[in-house]
Amino acid sequence: MATIDPFAAISDPNRRHLLEELRRAPRTVNELAEGLPISRPAVSQHLKALLDSNLVSVTAEGTKRIYSVNTKGFTKLNLWLDQFWS
């Protein structure tokens, strides 16, 4: 699995939208695609980038894959941003 810089991952507005939706509740790709003007395969590609940057995690429930925010993945972002407030 390739690791993507989390800052690069959140630079895309569609990915930020996905993160905002996942912050509210875990969701499937189909549920997430309902709120975006892009295709379900495009949503899956954006989720893969978020997975590869460790900002999102996925669990399987039967045939469904449920995506949620991985709060531990935001540590790198928080550490970098916190230096501006110290």
Side-chain angles (χ1 to χ4, degrees):
M1 170 167 74
T3 302
I4 294 177
D5 178 14
F7 288 100
I10 63 170
S11 68
D12 184 279
N14 290 314
R15 292 181 193 150
R16 289 193 305 270
H17 176 80
L18 292 172
L19 286 170
E20 290 168 10
E21 290 298 313
L22 292 173
R23 181 178 57 89
R24 292 179 182 92
R27 300 183 190 217
T28 64
V29 173
N30 289 333
E31 291 169 335
L32 291 165
E34 290 173 6
L36 286 170
I38 58 176
S39 67
R40 196 202 64 74
V43 170
S44 293
Q45 289 177 340
H46 286 300
L47 287 169
K48 175 151 179 19
L50 293 170
L51 279 166
D52 290 347
S53 63
N54 205 29
L55 297 176
V56 168
S57 59
V58 63
T59 56
E61 288 185 12
T63 59
K64 293 181 181 179
R65 292 172 48 98
I66 310 296
Y67 292 86
S68 59
V69 170
N70 179 10
T71 54
K72 291 181 182 179
F74 282 87
T75 301
K76 184 176 180 179
L77 295 171
N78 286 336
L79 289 172
W80 190 83
L81 290 171
D82 282 347
Q83 71 183 333
F84 295 99
W85 316 130
S86 299

